[in-house]
Amino acid sequence: MAAAGRARGGRGMEAAAGGCRVLLPAWWGLFRRLLLSVLAVGSCQGNSVERKIYIPLNKTAPCVRLLNATHQIGCQSSISGDTGVIHVVEKEEDLNWVLADGPHPPYMILLDGNLFNRRVMLQLKGTSRVSGLAVAIAKPNPPQGFSPGLKCPNDGFGVYSKDYGPQFAHCNKTVWNPLGSELSYEDFDFPIFLLEDANETQVIKQCYQDHNIPRGGSGPEYPLCAMQLFSHMHAVTSTVTCMRRSSLQSTFSINPEVVCDPLLDYNVWSTLQPINSSGKVDPEKEVIIVATRIDSHSFFWNIAPGAESAVSSFVTHLAAAEALHKASDIHLLQRNVMFTFFQGETFDYIGSSRMVYDMEKDKFPLGLNNIHSFVELNQVALRNDSVLWMHTDPISRLNGSVEAKVRNLLDTLRNSSLGANVSLQEAEFSQPLPPSSFQRFLRARPIPGVVLTDHQTAFQNRYYQSMYDTPENIHMQYPEGLSPEETLEYVTDTAKSLAEVATVVARALYRLAGGANNTSAIQADPKTVTRMLYGFTIKMNNSWFQSIIKPDLKGILGDEVPQHYVAVSSPVNTTYLVQYVLANLTGTVVNLTKEDCQNPEKVPNSEIEMYEYAWVQGSLYPNSTLRVPYCVRSAVHLSKALSPAFELRQWGSTEYSTWTESRWKEIRARIFLVASKELEIITLLVGIAILVFSLLATYFINAKADVLFSIPREPGAGAY
């Protein structure tokens, strides 16, 4: 009988209810499967519901938190993101609604780029009625200029101090960046994002116009257009605090949570005559150092175009290196030349201070005593009347020996400009050096040196360390209608001008190194300069850059506008590209197979301690997607650009840079419509009521399940 009962139950289900067995009808199984299917589909479609509610803003750049030995700067949101009703501010009068009149605080401000200045930002910083800020890029660039950097860049970490030239310390003699608002060095407790896409800016404005504009003399009615910004930072207070916390986590935790990372990367360097990169140069061998920086910065994370503050100088430097390498007798020169590209100089001279430290500790092939003289290229693209200014250190020149070498250096540079479209003039003897890597070397030793700039006193660059230091700032102009390939090859006036500077520098270096031949053949190539300017300021993903890098590095050539922020993961794109451009311009193509090129230690006479080998992609075959790869041998090397403070664990150092970048979980922005508080409360209460009712109903149904879901026994049926 029991078997017969189970057979009949084949069209239904058995369920335990209390201590007895209850048979459920067949439709109950079908209903349960249908319900599970609906729930599964609902979970899969959850994202589509979110997409219908929120509009993500994908082309944004956040302001993030940076820290040094004593301070934290930058911005952050709360841990769950900050939300506010959008208000568009296009003129200062619009701020009254945000700061006083508006009935729906807190507000998320869409700020016109021309109003993004210190005065406005400090007003917003001092109120609780602002929950965040989205900044629209001003077009054209603000005519009055905009620099969120310091008036005295890298103050306290150069050579001038109370012990060395106190009259020049803290820019007492010359304020180098008078337009500097120091906005990048403020600490904001609300998120600030840059809107990079004009289309997304327009979407926000349209949402604001549809929902948030006051009508009929009264405030706008719900629903209102709102914005939410996520940029919560893990690190707080200072580098000392965050590094200590990270160190403790690493020591005692199985899964340590690091809260900040040092700013770091690599310096790029090469020598005219190859040297043993793992050995030591003879103390008697003299070397001339040519230097420049390759990083920049702005208020927003990884927005650092640096056209004038960095690119103009390192492109000129690269062109000078190429021109000098073409001289036929460089192997006969009595002095060597080292081409050096420093990373992290924006943040208290990270790269140069590390190289000096390594030289002092015998961790670098050269020592400080090998340095004959120092030539640095600073901002050089915005010259007035083709004048290039030569800056020297008045304190070290009080030493007779140094003065004689500096005078020879100045005369050689001036003589090398004869016949060129560049006029070199000496800045006043009583004027200190501008912010420069050379200052870090002077802290260690009185070295003869000169810094070349386009400014006699204050910077010509009105957009120093800002998002507006773009190709337009250095007057790069192209005819309309050019294809990307034609634009790459088009020689601009800026390229011709910088090639002139590179020619003068290369000829002067040849003379300083002991060259005796005529220098007229030493000539920088404007075509090479224009390619570099295009690649480093407009589009890295171009045919020339593609041809000179390794195949496994092609991913760094994105279509975004090139940025030159030092960051915390290394090497960054700029470092890689400077390395491979320098190798391409100064190296030699060698007849090696791919396997031999990638394993040169297996090749006889490869001299791997002197040279680096790279198997690069090469150019495309005509009308093909296949490339012609080849092997490049060069004397280009990388060295650490990590502040000695972190190697020494001196996180509170005043001698070395201590900049760190906070970690974060997510960075995102979105807009949506928000209901009134009253409606939100009503919705919450109704939801709670439904939940309570559902719980009670479930309880009573479960309690009476044996009655509600039992099936009457068939007559004659028995149970055992």
Side-chain angles (χ1 to χ4, degrees):
M1 294 292 293
R6 287 195 292 275
R8 288 192 298 270
R11 293 173 309 204
M13 298 177 61
E14 292 186 342
C20 61
R21 189 170 63 226
V22 178
L23 290 176
L24 302 181
W27 59 264
W28 175 257
L30 179 63
F31 174 75
R32 191 179 76 161
R33 286 194 296 273
L34 180 62
L35 180 62
L36 291 174
S37 299
V38 170
L39 291 174
V41 171
S43 64
C44 292
Q45 296 298 321
N47 283 337
S48 67
V49 174
E50 181 177 350
R51 287 196 295 269
K52 291 178 180 178
I53 297 174
Y54 300 103
I55 298 177
L57 304 174
N58 298 317
K59 292 287 291 181
T60 61
C63 161
V64 303
R65 175 167 291 164
L66 300 174
L67 309 98
N68 64 10
T70 55
H71 292 82
Q72 65 179 31
I73 63 173
C75 324
Q76 77 155 354
S77 73
S78 61
I79 195 167
S80 56
D82 289 329
T83 305
V85 174
I86 294 172
H87 189 73
V88 176
V89 176
E90 296 180 327
K91 52 185 184 299
E92 287 204 42
E93 292 75 19
D94 296 336
L95 289 171
N96 294 333
W97 184 266
V98 173
L99 299 175
D101 301 337
H104 305 117
Y107 285 95
M108 278 282 176
I109 298 175
L110 174 55
L111 187 69
D112 184 274
N114 289 297
L115 294 177
F116 186 53
N117 55 55
R118 185 176 182 84
R119 184 180 68 258
V120 169
M121 291 303 297
L122 291 185
Q123 288 184 65
L124 302 179
K125 184 179 179 180
T127 177
S128 60
R129 291 173 58 89
V130 174
S131 59
L133 202 66
V135 180
I137 295 179
K139 291 186 178 180
N141 293 352
Q144 71 277 12
F146 173 74
S147 173
L150 298 171
K151 292 182 182 296
C152 189
N154 291 354
D155 185 27
F157 290 85
V159 68
Y160 303 111
S161 65
K162 61 182 179 63
D163 300 317
Y164 187 98
Q167 68 273 30
F168 303 130
H170 313 299
C171 295
N172 288 334
K173 174 73 175 180
T174 305
V175 177
W176 296 106
N177 186 29
L179 291 178
S181 65
E182 306 188 355
L183 198 58
S184 291
Y185 295 83
E186 290 287 336
D187 183 37
F188 295 92
D189 59 0
F190 53 77
I192 303 176
F193 279 53
L194 177 69
L195 300 173
E196 299 183 75
D197 188 344
N199 292 327
E200 289 188 343
T201 302
Q202 190 56 43
V203 168
I204 299 171
K205 288 184 177 180
Q206 189 61 53
C207 186
Y208 165 79
Q209 291 167 1
D210 292 344
H211 299 279
N212 294 12
I213 291 181
R215 290 179 174 85
S218 60
E221 297 181 357
Y222 286 98
L224 297 173
C225 190
M227 183 185 296
Q228 190 172 31
L229 303 178
F230 297 83
S231 62
H232 181 68
M233 300 288 129
H234 295 175
V236 295
T237 309
S238 68
T239 289
V240 175
T241 300
C242 79
M243 289 299 292
R244 183 175 64 243
R245 290 178 179 175
S246 296
S247 178
L248 289 172
Q249 285 271 344
S250 300
T251 303
F252 297 108
S253 176
I254 298 175
N255 298 308
E257 182 179 348
V258 177
V259 296
C260 69
D261 300 283
L263 296 181
L264 61 91
D265 202 77
Y266 287 90
N267 298 321
V268 182
W269 63 275
S270 174
T271 52
L272 190 63
Q273 300 164 354
I275 62 173
N276 187 337
S277 60
S278 58
K280 289 295 293 181
V281 172
D282 188 322
E284 301 300 317
K285 182 66 175 177
E286 293 184 321
V287 178
I288 302 160
I289 291 184
V290 195
T292 191
R293 68 175 61 191
I294 58 175
D295 68 298
S296 188
H297 179 46
S298 81
F299 185 88
F300 299 99
W301 181 76
N302 204 30
I303 299 296
E308 159 71 344
S309 61
V311 177
S312 69
S313 58
F314 74 70
V315 161
T316 305
H317 188 170
L318 288 165
E322 180 193 31
L324 186 55
H325 269 80
K326 289 180 179 178
S328 59
D329 60 338
I330 55 175
H331 60 288
L332 300 176
L333 298 178
Q334 66 183 76
R335 298 187 185 96
N336 207 345
V337 178
M338 186 169 87
F339 305 97
T340 313
F341 301 81
F342 291 120
Q343 261 287 14
E345 295 302 272
T346 302
F347 296 95
D348 299 337
Y349 306 118
I350 294 174
S352 55
S353 63
R354 179 54 187 256
M355 183 170 283
V356 171
Y357 174 82
D358 286 344
M359 287 180 174
E360 291 177 324
K361 302 299 180 182
D362 289 332
K363 297 180 179 180
F364 194 79
L366 297 179
L368 290 170
N369 59 325
N370 290 117
I371 301 175
H372 169 268
S373 53
F374 199 104
V375 178
E376 180 168 354
L377 285 161
N378 213 306
Q379 303 177 86
V380 294
L382 298 177
R383 303 192 306 281
N384 284 332
D385 301 323
S386 299
V387 175
L388 202 62
W389 293 94
M390 301 182 290
H391 300 263
T392 58
D393 171 44
I395 304 300
S396 60
R397 290 181 67 179
L398 296 176
N399 178 297
S401 174
V402 173
E403 166 63 15
K405 292 178 180 179
V406 169
R407 180 51 56 192
N408 177 62
L409 184 57
L410 296 173
D411 291 341
T412 303
L413 281 163
R414 191 179 289 108
N415 292 335
S416 299
S417 69
L418 297 177
N421 191 28
V422 180
S423 172
L424 271 78
Q425 296 186 25
E426 185 179 351
E428 291 184 16
F429 180 86
S430 60
Q431 183 171 283
L433 287 168
S436 51
S437 306
F438 179 42
Q439 293 200 31
R440 291 300 304 192
F441 285 80
L442 278 177
R443 284 177 71 127
R445 185 184 179 95
I447 298 169
V450 62
V451 177
L452 302 177
T453 74
D454 56 20
H455 53 89
Q456 181 181 12
T457 52
F459 295 163
Q460 298 271 41
N461 187 2
R462 294 177 299 143
Y463 305 107
Y464 182 74
Q465 289 186 6
S466 88
M467 55 198 171
Y468 300 115
D469 192 4
T470 57
E472 292 77 15
N473 186 34
I474 57 174
H475 312 306
M476 286 175 59
Q477 298 176 340
Y478 297 91
E480 293 185 6
L482 296 183
S483 68
E485 195 64 24
E486 290 170 336
T487 308
L488 171 67
E489 300 294 341
Y490 181 81
V491 180
T492 62
D493 290 340
T494 303
K496 295 174 184 176
S497 174
L498 293 180
E500 291 273 6
V501 176
T503 297
V504 170
V505 172
R507 291 175 178 177
L509 292 173
Y510 177 79
R511 291 293 186 204
L512 289 168
N517 292 339
N518 190 291
T519 60
S520 59
I522 299 176
Q523 187 79 37
D525 185 358
K527 188 174 181 179
T528 301
V529 175
T530 209
R531 284 176 168 183
M532 290 190 287
L533 286 174
Y534 179 83
F536 284 113
T537 65
I538 297 176
K539 189 178 181 181
M540 285 184 171
N541 193 12
N542 62 73
S543 60
W544 188 50
F545 278 8
Q546 290 168 8
S547 70
I548 64 174
I549 64 169
K550 291 181 178 180
D552 58 344
L553 291 178
K554 61 185 178 182
I556 70 174
L557 300 178
D559 290 325
E560 298 82 9
V561 175
Q563 308 296 343
H564 307 292
Y565 175 60
V566 59
V568 296
S569 58
S570 59
V572 296
N573 296 358
T574 303
T575 302
Y576 272 131
L577 288 171
V578 168
Q579 177 188 7
Y580 283 98
V581 169
L582 183 60
N584 176 268
L585 298 180
T586 64
T588 305
V589 177
V590 290
N591 187 23
L592 293 179
T593 64
K594 178 180 180 180
E595 183 180 356
D596 287 342
C597 189
Q598 293 176 337
N599 301 280
E601 67 278 1
K602 299 179 181 178
V603 180
N605 303 318
S606 60
E607 298 180 292
I608 57 174
E609 70 282 354
M610 310 279 280
Y611 297 103
E612 297 286 339
Y613 292 79
W615 183 258
V616 300
Q617 292 193 116
S619 302
L620 291 169
Y621 281 106
N623 303 315
S624 172
T625 57
L626 299 177
R627 294 185 174 275
V628 190
Y630 56 92
C631 185
V632 174
R633 185 187 71 180
S634 71
V636 180
H637 308 279
L638 300 180
S639 64
K640 276 186 180 180
L642 169 66
S643 171
F646 297 100
E647 187 158 303
L648 299 170
R649 296 177 67 86
Q650 296 176 0
W651 304 319
S653 172
T654 57
E655 170 72 14
Y656 299 113
S657 172
T658 55
W659 285 106
T660 54
E661 181 185 273
S662 174
R663 289 196 177 185
W664 57 80
K665 184 177 181 180
E666 63 175 344
I667 298 288
R668 60 191 174 104
R670 59 190 184 182
I671 63 173
F672 57 96
L673 294 181
V674 63
S676 66
K677 294 293 183 185
E678 293 78 6
L679 181 58
E680 289 178 346
I681 293 172
I682 292 172
T683 304
L684 176 63
L685 293 176
V686 170
I688 293 173
I690 293 174
L691 175 63
V692 172
F693 175 79
S694 301
L695 292 173
L696 291 173
T698 303
Y699 172 78
F700 284 115
I701 290 172
N702 186 61
K704 301 297 183 180
D706 56 337
V707 176
L708 293 173
F709 299 109
S710 64
I711 298 176
R713 297 173 184 271
E714 294 182 9
Y720 294 95

